[in-house]
Amino acid sequence: MPAKFWNGQKAIWETTSIDGLKTMEPDLVIQMYRSMLTIRLFEEKAKQLYQSGEIAGAIHLSIGQEAVAVGVCSALRLDDAVFSTHRGHGHLIAKGGHLPAMMAELMGRQTGCSHGCGGSMHMFEPQVGFMGGNGIVGGGLTLALGAAFAAQYRGLDGIAVVFFGDGAAQQGTFHEALNLAALWKLPYLAVCENNQYAATTPFAAAVPTADIAPRAAGYGIPGIVVDGNDCLAVYRAAAAAVERARAGDGPTLLECKTYRVEPHCGIIADRRPKEELERWGQPDRDPLEHLRREGGLSDSVISAVRHDVEAELETAVAFARGSPYPDPAAFLQEHANT
Amino acid sequence: MPAKFWNGQKAIWETTSIDGLKTMEPDLVIQMYRSMLTIRLFEEKAKQLYQSGEIAGAIHLSIGQEAVAVGVCSALRLDDAVFSTHRGHGHLIAKGGHLPAMMAELMGRQTGCSHGCGGSMHMFEPQVGFMGGNGIVGGGLTLALGAAFAAQYRGLDGIAVVFFGDGAAQQGTFHEALNLAALWKLPYLAVCENNQYAATTPFAAAVPTADIAPRAAGYGIPGIVVDGNDCLAVYRAAAAAVERARAGDGPTLLECKTYRVEPHCGIIADRRPKEELERWGQPDRDPLEHLRREGGLSDSVISAVRHDVEAELETAVAFARGSPYPDPAAFLQEHANT
Amino acid sequence: MRMLQYIQAINEALHEEMARDASVFVIGEDVDQNGGVFKTTQGLVERFGARRVRGTPISESAFAGLATGAAMSGLRPVVEFMYFDFVSVAMDPLVNQMAKIAGMSGGQLQVPVTVRAQTGARTREAAQHSQSLEAWFLHTPGFKVVMPATSYDAKGLLKSAIRDNGPVLYIENRLLYHETESVPDGEWTTPLGVAEVVREGRDITVVAIGYARKLALAAAQALEGTASVEVIDPRSLAPLDLATILSSVSKTGRLVVVHDAPASCGFGAEIVRRVVAQGFDLLDAEPLVVGSAHVPMPFSPPLEDACLPSTASLTAAIHKIINR
Amino acid sequence: MRMLQYIQAINEALHEEMARDASVFVIGEDVDQNGGVFKTTQGLVERFGARRVRGTPISESAFAGLATGAAMSGLRPVVEFMYFDFVSVAMDPLVNQMAKIAGMSGGQLQVPVTVRAQTGARTREAAQHSQSLEAWFLHTPGFKVVMPATSYDAKGLLKSAIRDNGPVLYIENRLLYHETESVPDGEWTTPLGVAEVVREGRDITVVAIGYARKLALAAAQALEGTASVEVIDPRSLAPLDLATILSSVSKTGRLVVVHDAPASCGFGAEIVRRVVAQGFDLLDAEPLVVGSAHVPMPFSPPLEDACLPSTASLTAAIHKIINR
Ligand SMILES: Cc1ncc(C[n+]2csc(CCOP(=O)(O)OP(=O)(O)O)c2C)c(N)n1
Ligand SMILES: Cc1ncc(C[n+]2csc(CCOP(=O)(O)OP(=O)(O)O)c2C)c(N)n1
Ligand SMILES: [Mg+2]
Ligand SMILES: [Mg+2]
């Protein structure tokens, strides 16, 4: 359970780096698979709890997009900062988030990773470098500048990563943030999760070009397109960008082509073309299946991992259910400043 | 003097087009020269009146940048809409603005082109398609979308032009506007007046690349760089972009490299390098001198034009001085809605 | 008479005004996709085509600016903000451009834009999706602001807003979308600047806007026998029908204003300012404002409930000044 | 004692706080260019270097967001908006991010940012350069708001703002930049939430902020012999020292609030709301607010003068409630 007042913001820049994740060891592949599976099962559980009414509000699921979160975060250290979106459960899990605190947050409990104040869109776990989801499309792009700036300011080699959707790339903040990051050579990695839709608007109805990545040229920085459902491809591209950023060579724009399998949000009706949904539903497009095959993971490894993850999730749900709600009277008293 | 309530907004789209400006006739060159000289002398007069206290507030002069305003506006029809900046006197003059109403506006008179409500930064003369200056850097970029949209919506072939500075190109609106204009193939022309400074910040301290124009590629539209002190070069580039827009082929980003000869605003101290100022002060860099030579204008033509323009300006100043201030009591009564 | 849902009322007003005036068009995110997130634009694109029903990229500044420029050019845009909170990414085109152009041009240009924005706390959407920001626009010269709480006014005010020659902010409440009520047949508009006395009473005047109108009526009901509560819904916050409020206060001598926004510099504070300035001697007790707690809205259901005005908190405020 | 200009006071506070705390940095347009447009950052880049004094592109959203993220990471940014009006292009990072992150994270993160914004009508800069937008931020949970009117407070409040652990909006007035006054030697801070009774009086309380403090003192002077005017400058608008205002009203029974912003949903309305809620029985007359006319500020000097509060309009308001 996170401390009530966590005053160690500086700590994330001072933590010893977790190295050894950089070489493509079999362990890493298993770890990636495990992380993706955790996201998948967490989201399925969340969906179920949402439908049954145990989770309130709005939730945006990232099923189908697991490889982006995991590929990128596997290239990061604990002291690198991640800024997320409205669709951020996967990013937090990939960064090392604690499942019980996440589940408790979704259920609005005091033990949640934002003490019940944030919910699905506003999870915070600064201890693992997760600097928050964001309900404003495009909002994270400029916040992440600040974490990158802080690392540069302190002469440390931490970096900041921001995830954002294809829809967010049409916000003014995209432009302002990339320009400033490029200008000041900030250690910044902008990851566009292009899942081809912004709510119900298809990519082509929002963007006059085929890709977002070429916009990087306008700021004199690299723009890269990768298959966002290929976890190792994402990892390799991210690792190169991270190295570049750490070396002081400035930001990268990384566009990951992927697909959102679930509807945009909660119960919103889905009118995407059937054959499109079917095409992306094929096993060869599934990021978990893809990694299983490419990583040569055996059935026994897979089932052991699944067994573990399911148990962890069960514990998390039980923890959340057993946790108290925050106390309204105490909350109001603390904040009754006007 | 403009009508008090001008309800003919639609008129600017319905006016018969003024053609004949399109071929490079000697008359056009003289007209361009005359327009540039009018801007030059208007600005010099305004500076003088500002220094003597007859003009209050903030004024931003466009001396040295005349070729951009005139080159672009010479490629336009009266029914094309122009959206301007804080440094907009030249744009209005080039679009056919009435000098007495402009001078009266600077002096805050009832007969001003905004009836004294706007001042230097907010001149409006919709009758000649001038849809306003703007005190917010980057503000005009999205407004101009609307005029372009209105033309397209009505099936007319009017276009909208927005002028903006190199500094404005780092605002989010630049990105949002160009993306939307490109997406909807709006009849839109974005003219970046790159005078190499945003207030006291040099271009290189704001932009990580050498040019703004390449950003156009990110939206799949043409981006063009021209010598902004060469009026004919600006005209030719603008005319091509205008043709493209009228034909329904969408927007263009036109970057004009120029230089602001005066300080940024009013009395702000100027610390630009001396040799830079001197270099741009050379006759070969002066837009008027450039056009005189390239257009082969004789001394007698030049002096006749100057004579005319000086007389017009004298009339304008006399008109402004002789005009009454707006009546505060009447103003308050009209607007006392809360 | 017939039954009409609040959301249908919005949709009907859009259909009718688009049919009536070819210069009216609708613009916003997903407005052309299956009626938008909340289905308020249902059927428009099928009927009026993609030219007049424009789904946009997520670029609120761009489309708010576009609407302003289009209105300056003689069109009548209806702009949709998916959530009221998102005006924060477009305050410049709204406040510095749309609201000011008529004034800055000395009255030469008109800017007939309707800005639709949807609000509504109580849905557990937390701090960035629960704000009711009408006060920002009431503080901004150049805007009219309306907030319908019934199907009748949802339709009638939207039609008036679209026909108005200046910028009108039209604030919807997602909690009311599926409320149904009986409305007249035929056409109607609700004029701007006319309040409705929703319930007559003798002892206290409650001014309630948007969702809070329901709280006021519930409180009035609960207090029956104890106190006779007059409920006024201004409907149009600017221009404001102060006369109706003052005349009520001259009868009751007591005033409470209730709304979802925080009280500090909110609409309630403005009503209090105006009522005391013009009707100080009418008051027998201190006028009070019931608003939300001054905190970023928390997600957790019990916290959110505690932070918002309720029938209970409104009743407590009424008791306080009835029993002083 | 020594003489200090308001603008020097700002500059000294920046120098001292940057020297005191290596996590303080300054960011904004032209702040590293010869002291910025108004020279408030004079000498900083020479002394502390380009690493800590960051001139930016014209990208207010980017640098307000950057400041927020940097503060979340343990730094203490001081952000400069060249004119208060320009916050409108950055309301999202200010309101939805900076102000809310402490709350949304359940108190895990602090966001110690000072936002400096410069205002001041009366300079004939028209509608987009004359706004005093403190009410937007007073309405936004998560912000503290201060508005110094003297050199003493300009320095003292800026130091307190920089040391505070949450977002503080610090509002400067360009008309005061060259005012000079005598200040103590040595170091001082002005605590947040403590008002100053600027002038004692018996007949009426005038609450005045920013430039209007000068109007209030001039009116008090002009009315000497007719009415004894107490002038209070809250200095810190949120948190607000209501106790000092209430205790003054308990003596005078009369209240006028004066500021440059329009009255509708402004700071004055909020003061009235709070004073009547807690001190209704103290009042002998209606409290009034004197603000600017509810119009986009016109350029023409006689029009601008007529739209702004003046000693004359304030005196008239005082007369009205003194002679009722
Ligand atoms: C400024 C803003 N505008 C609109 C929205 C409403 N909204 C939430 S998610 C979303 C779609 C975002 O699309 P994208 O960025 O591609 O992310 P995805 O949902 O596909 O992951 C929209 C329009 C918002 N939250 N913020
Ligand atoms: C949103 C906004 N930020 C800052 C300013 C202050 N300002 C006025 S002009 C200017 C420089 C603009 O530079 P540029 O766009 O290159 O135009 P130029 O002045 O060179 O013509 C600045 C920073 C403003 N008016 N609006
Ligand atoms: Mg998407
Ligand atoms: Mg420039």
Side-chain angles (χ1 to χ4, degrees):
Chain A
M1 185 189 347
K4 170 77 205 187
F5 284 99
W6 186 79
N7 286 317
Q9 280 123 285
K10 286 175 189 171
I12 68 164
W13 303 108
E14 288 155 11
T15 315
T16 339
S17 66
I18 297 176
D19 269 334
L21 293 186
K22 291 245 197 73
T23 48
M24 220 49 144
E25 288 166 32
D27 267 12
L28 174 62
V29 174
I30 297 176
Q31 211 169 316
M32 282 175 164
Y33 186 86
R34 185 195 169 98
S35 188
M36 286 209 287
L37 186 66
T38 308
I39 297 173
R40 173 72 53 91
L41 299 183
F42 184 94
E43 296 291 55
E44 284 173 358
K45 194 78 211 167
K47 181 180 173 184
Q48 195 184 314
L49 294 167
Y50 186 74
Q51 281 168 343
S52 71
E54 275 190 85
I55 295 174
I59 62 172
H60 303 80
L61 304 174
S62 60
I63 293 174
Q65 305 182 204
E66 297 88 348
V68 182
V70 172
V72 170
C73 291
S74 298
L76 301 180
R77 301 192 313 227
L78 191 65
D79 64 331
D80 293 324
V82 164
F83 290 79
S84 176
T85 65
H86 56 287
R87 196 181 302 288
H89 306 165
H91 307 143
L92 176 48
I93 291 172
K95 193 68 174 49
H98 293 88
L99 303 185
M102 289 180 68
M103 208 49 101
E105 188 59 35
L106 289 181
M107 295 195 200
R109 309 303 165 114
Q110 174 64 31
T111 54
C113 60
S114 303
H115 303 301
C117 295
S120 169
M121 286 193 279
H122 311 291
M123 295 197 182
F124 286 80
E125 201 170 329
Q127 295 92 328
V128 299
F130 188 80
M131 306 304 277
N134 212 313
I136 303 297
V137 169
L141 280 147
T142 65
L143 301 185
L145 290 173
F149 178 88
Q152 190 187 65
Y153 186 90
R154 293 191 170 112
L156 301 174
D157 69 348
I159 81 155
V161 176
V162 59
F163 290 98
F164 61 100
D166 50 297
Q170 281 60 255
Q171 278 288 27
T173 49
F174 167 88
H175 171 65
E176 294 191 22
L178 286 185
N179 183 70
L180 199 59
L183 184 70
W184 290 353
K185 285 196 186 300
L186 295 179
Y188 182 90
L189 171 56
V191 180
C192 180
E193 274 186 289
N194 185 345
N195 64 6
Q196 308 180 45
Y197 284 88
T200 51
T201 296
F203 185 79
V207 181
T209 53
D211 305 301
I212 296 292
R215 294 179 182 175
Y219 315 105
I221 60 169
I224 298 161
V225 179
V226 288
D227 177 353
N229 283 20
D230 177 343
C231 191
L232 295 176
V234 173
Y235 171 79
R236 281 186 211 103
V242 167
E243 205 172 293
R244 188 180 134 82
R246 276 204 220 295
D249 294 333
T252 299
L253 171 59
L254 175 61
E255 178 180 3
C256 304
K257 305 280 193 186
T258 182
Y259 194 75
R260 157 170 65 69
V261 169
E262 292 290 314
H264 169 61
C265 171
I267 48 156
I268 284 183
D270 208 314
R271 298 249 184 141
R272 289 175 294 178
K274 208 170 179 170
E275 53 314 351
E276 185 182 289
L277 282 163
E278 273 163 9
R279 186 153 29 92
W280 285 93
Q282 299 296 318
D284 66 317
R285 298 287 179 111
D286 181 77
L288 276 85
E289 193 49 27
H290 193 288
L291 183 63
R292 189 192 62 76
R293 271 191 280 167
E294 211 187 320
L297 297 177
S298 69
D299 286 358
S300 65
V301 165
I302 298 275
S303 76
V305 167
R306 175 175 280 268
H307 185 268
D308 267 20
V309 171
E310 280 172 350
E312 267 189 48
L313 273 169
E314 244 171 74
T315 309
V317 172
F319 172 81
R321 285 187 175 139
S323 294
Y325 285 105
D327 176 29
F331 179 86
L332 283 179
Q333 185 158 7
E334 191 175 332
H335 294 285
N337 62 338
T338 287
Chain B
M1 185 191 343
K4 170 77 204 186
F5 284 98
W6 186 80
N7 286 318
Q9 281 122 284
K10 286 175 190 172
I12 67 164
W13 303 108
E14 288 154 11
T15 316
T16 338
S17 67
I18 298 176
D19 270 333
L21 291 187
K22 291 245 198 73
T23 48
M24 221 49 146
E25 289 165 32
D27 267 14
L28 175 61
V29 174
I30 297 176
Q31 213 169 316
M32 283 174 162
Y33 186 86
R34 186 196 168 97
S35 188
M36 286 207 288
L37 186 66
T38 308
I39 297 173
R40 174 72 52 90
L41 298 184
F42 183 94
E43 297 289 56
E44 283 173 358
K45 192 78 212 168
K47 180 180 173 183
Q48 195 184 314
L49 294 167
Y50 186 74
Q51 282 168 343
S52 71
E54 274 191 84
I55 295 174
I59 62 171
H60 303 80
L61 303 174
S62 61
I63 293 174
Q65 305 183 204
E66 297 88 348
V68 181
V70 172
V72 170
C73 291
S74 298
L76 301 179
R77 300 193 312 228
L78 191 65
D79 64 330
D80 293 324
V82 164
F83 291 79
S84 177
T85 64
H86 55 288
R87 196 181 304 286
H89 306 165
H91 306 142
L92 176 48
I93 291 171
K95 194 66 175 51
H98 293 89
L99 302 185
M102 289 180 67
M103 208 49 102
E105 188 60 34
L106 289 181
M107 294 194 199
R109 309 303 164 113
Q110 174 64 31
T111 55
C113 59
S114 304
H115 302 301
C117 295
S120 169
M121 285 193 278
H122 310 292
M123 295 196 181
F124 285 82
E125 202 170 330
Q127 297 91 328
V128 299
F130 188 81
M131 306 304 277
N134 212 312
I136 303 297
V137 168
L141 280 146
T142 65
L143 301 185
L145 290 173
F149 178 88
Q152 190 188 65
Y153 186 89
R154 294 191 168 112
L156 301 174
D157 68 347
I159 81 154
V161 176
V162 59
F163 290 97
F164 61 99
D166 50 296
Q170 281 60 256
Q171 278 288 27
T173 50
F174 167 88
H175 171 65
E176 294 191 21
L178 285 185
N179 184 68
L180 200 59
L183 184 70
W184 292 352
K185 285 196 186 304
L186 295 178
Y188 183 90
L189 172 56
V191 180
C192 180
E193 275 185 288
N194 185 344
N195 64 7
Q196 308 180 44
Y197 284 87
T200 49
T201 296
F203 184 79
V207 181
T209 54
D211 304 301
I212 296 292
R215 294 178 181 176
Y219 315 106
I221 61 169
I224 297 160
V225 179
V226 288
D227 176 353
N229 284 19
D230 178 345
C231 192
L232 294 176
V234 173
Y235 171 78
R236 282 186 211 102
V242 167
E243 206 172 292
R244 188 180 136 80
R246 275 204 221 295
D249 295 332
T252 299
L253 172 60
L254 176 61
E255 178 179 3
C256 304
K257 306 281 194 184
T258 181
Y259 194 75
R260 157 170 65 70
V261 169
E262 292 289 314
H264 168 62
C265 172
I267 48 156
I268 285 183
D270 208 314
R271 297 251 185 139
R272 288 175 294 178
K274 207 172 182 166
E275 52 317 349
E276 184 183 290
L277 282 162
E278 273 164 10
R279 185 152 30 90
W280 284 92
Q282 299 296 317
D284 67 316
R285 297 288 180 111
D286 182 78
L288 276 84
E289 192 50 25
H290 194 289
L291 184 63
R292 189 192 62 75
R293 272 192 279 167
E294 210 188 319
L297 297 177
S298 69
D299 286 359
S300 66
V301 165
I302 298 273
S303 77
V305 167
R306 176 175 280 268
H307 185 267
D308 267 20
V309 170
E310 279 172 350
E312 267 189 48
L313 274 168
E314 244 171 74
T315 309
V317 172
F319 172 82
R321 285 186 175 139
S323 294
Y325 284 105
D327 175 29
F331 178 87
L332 284 179
Q333 185 157 8
E334 191 177 331
H335 294 285
N337 62 339
T338 286
Chain C
M1 299 293 279
R2 63 193 174 100
M3 300 304 287
L4 188 68
Q5 265 191 341
Y6 184 97
I7 200 165
Q8 289 171 330
I10 294 167
N11 187 252
E12 278 190 16
L14 293 172
H15 271 276
E16 290 176 18
E17 293 305 303
M18 288 189 76
R20 181 176 174 270
D21 183 346
S23 68
V24 176
F25 70 98
V26 165
I27 186 166
E29 288 152 18
D30 295 354
V31 295
D32 59 341
Q33 300 287 338
N34 191 20
V37 170
F38 294 100
K39 310 290 161 244
T40 49
T41 54
Q42 196 87 56
L44 293 178
V45 71
E46 292 80 0
R47 179 165 172 201
F48 299 105
R51 175 174 149 272
R52 296 183 62 195
V53 183
R54 310 293 290 226
T56 64
I58 309 177
S59 301
E60 284 87 354
S61 267
F63 65 73
L66 185 152
T68 305
M72 292 165 74
S73 308
L75 299 183
R76 290 193 174 264
V78 180
V79 182
E80 177 177 315
F81 280 84
M82 202 184 275
Y83 278 70
F84 200 170
D85 311 70
F86 308 156
V87 296
S88 57
V89 301
M91 287 302 278
D92 185 66
L94 294 171
V95 163
N96 284 332
Q97 317 293 343
M98 195 186 285
K100 292 191 175 37
I101 280 167
M104 294 189 304
S105 69
Q108 288 172 90
L109 289 167
Q110 294 180 325
V111 186
V113 183
T114 300
V115 177
R116 294 176 48 221
Q118 171 275 129
T119 184
R122 302 181 176 77
T123 52
R124 290 52 169 118
E125 290 177 76
Q128 294 175 337
H129 285 73
S130 303
Q131 294 169 93
S132 211
L133 298 168
E134 61 276 5
W136 287 0
F137 297 89
L138 294 168
H139 192 60
T140 303
F143 261 106
K144 301 189 181 75
V145 180
V146 301
M147 195 190 271
T150 63
S151 298
Y152 181 91
D153 290 331
K155 183 164 179 182
L157 286 172
L158 185 48
K159 290 170 77 92
S160 293
I162 292 171
R163 295 180 195 182
D164 193 83
N165 285 330
V168 181
L169 173 64
Y170 172 93
I171 305 168
E172 304 165 16
N173 193 300
R174 64 180 170 275
L175 279 92
L176 301 174
Y177 275 160
H178 300 290
E179 301 278 314
T180 302
E181 76 192 30
S182 148
V183 296
D185 296 319
E187 209 199 3
W188 73 89
T189 60
T190 303
L192 305 183
V194 179
E196 183 192 357
V197 179
V198 182
R199 185 188 204 275
E200 301 211 352
R202 291 176 314 278
D203 301 332
I204 185 162
T205 302
V206 174
V207 173
I209 57 174
Y211 184 80
R213 174 170 160 152
K214 293 173 84 77
L215 304 179
L217 287 172
Q221 188 86 32
L223 287 164
E224 234 166 55
T226 316
S228 162
V229 179
E230 179 143 313
V231 177
I232 296 179
D233 176 359
R235 307 190 290 190
S236 158
L237 315 190
L240 178 72
D241 179 0
L242 187 64
T244 295
I245 296 170
L246 280 173
S247 117
S248 173
V249 171
S250 76
K251 178 173 62 175
T252 64
R254 289 174 165 81
L255 173 69
V256 175
V257 188
V258 56
H259 53 54
D260 277 1
S264 178
C265 291
F267 174 69
E270 175 62 9
I271 294 290
V272 169
R273 178 184 77 83
R274 296 230 220 157
V275 167
V276 298
Q278 296 188 38
F280 185 69
D281 297 328
L282 308 174
L283 286 160
D284 300 322
E286 66 275 21
L288 294 179
V289 177
V290 178
S292 63
H294 203 71
V295 290
M297 192 57 65
F299 160 70
S300 182
L303 292 189
E304 184 181 33
D305 289 344
C307 288
L308 284 163
S310 62
T311 306
S313 66
L314 176 57
T315 308
I318 293 171
H319 267 301
K320 187 170 174 205
I321 57 176
I322 291 282
N323 302 330
R324 81 191 299 263
Chain D
M1 300 293 281
R2 62 194 174 99
M3 299 305 287
L4 187 68
Q5 265 191 340
Y6 184 97
I7 200 165
Q8 290 171 328
I10 294 167
N11 187 252
E12 277 190 15
L14 293 172
H15 271 277
E16 290 176 17
E17 294 305 303
M18 288 189 76
R20 182 177 173 272
D21 182 348
S23 67
V24 175
F25 71 98
V26 165
I27 185 167
E29 288 152 18
D30 296 353
V31 294
D32 58 341
Q33 299 286 339
N34 192 20
V37 170
F38 294 100
K39 309 290 159 247
T40 49
T41 54
Q42 196 88 57
L44 293 179
V45 71
E46 292 79 0
R47 178 165 172 202
F48 300 104
R51 174 174 151 271
R52 296 183 63 194
V53 183
R54 309 294 288 228
T56 64
I58 308 177
S59 302
E60 283 88 353
S61 267
F63 66 72
L66 185 152
T68 305
M72 292 165 74
S73 308
L75 299 183
R76 291 194 173 262
V78 180
V79 182
E80 178 176 316
F81 280 84
M82 202 184 275
Y83 278 70
F84 201 171
D85 311 70
F86 308 157
V87 296
S88 57
V89 301
M91 286 302 278
D92 185 66
L94 294 171
V95 164
N96 284 332
Q97 317 293 344
M98 194 185 285
K100 292 191 175 35
I101 280 167
M104 295 189 304
S105 70
Q108 288 173 89
L109 290 167
Q110 294 182 325
V111 186
V113 183
T114 300
V115 177
R116 294 176 48 223
Q118 171 275 126
T119 185
R122 300 180 177 78
T123 52
R124 289 55 168 116
E125 290 176 77
Q128 295 175 336
H129 285 73
S130 304
Q131 295 168 93
S132 211
L133 297 168
E134 61 276 5
W136 288 0
F137 297 89
L138 294 169
H139 192 59
T140 302
F143 262 107
K144 300 189 181 75
V145 180
V146 301
M147 195 190 272
T150 63
S151 299
Y152 182 91
D153 290 331
K155 183 164 180 183
L157 286 172
L158 185 48
K159 290 171 78 93
S160 292
I162 292 171
R163 296 179 195 182
D164 193 84
N165 285 330
V168 181
L169 174 64
Y170 172 92
I171 305 168
E172 303 166 16
N173 194 299
R174 65 180 169 274
L175 278 93
L176 300 175
Y177 276 160
H178 300 289
E179 302 278 312
T180 302
E181 76 192 31
S182 149
V183 297
D185 295 319
E187 208 199 6
W188 72 90
T189 60
T190 303
L192 306 183
V194 180
E196 183 191 357
V197 180
V198 182
R199 185 186 203 276
E200 301 210 353
R202 291 174 317 276
D203 301 332
I204 185 163
T205 302
V206 173
V207 173
I209 57 174
Y211 184 80
R213 172 170 161 153
K214 293 174 84 76
L215 304 179
L217 287 172
Q221 188 87 31
L223 286 164
E224 234 166 54
T226 315
S228 163
V229 178
E230 178 143 312
V231 177
I232 295 179
D233 176 359
R235 309 190 289 191
S236 157
L237 315 189
L240 178 72
D241 179 0
L242 187 64
T244 294
I245 296 170
L246 281 173
S247 118
S248 173
V249 172
S250 76
K251 176 174 62 174
T252 63
R254 288 175 164 80
L255 172 69
V256 174
V257 188
V258 56
H259 53 54
D260 277 0
S264 178
C265 291
F267 174 69
E270 175 62 8
I271 295 290
V272 170
R273 178 184 78 82
R274 296 230 220 160
V275 166
V276 298
Q278 296 189 37
F280 185 69
D281 297 328
L282 308 174
L283 287 161
D284 299 322
E286 66 275 19
L288 294 179
V289 177
V290 178
S292 62
H294 203 71
V295 290
M297 193 56 66
F299 160 70
S300 182
L303 293 187
E304 185 181 33
D305 288 344
C307 288
L308 284 163
S310 61
T311 306
S313 65
L314 175 58
T315 308
I318 293 171
H319 267 300
K320 188 170 173 206
I321 56 176
I322 292 281
N323 301 331
R324 81 194 298 265

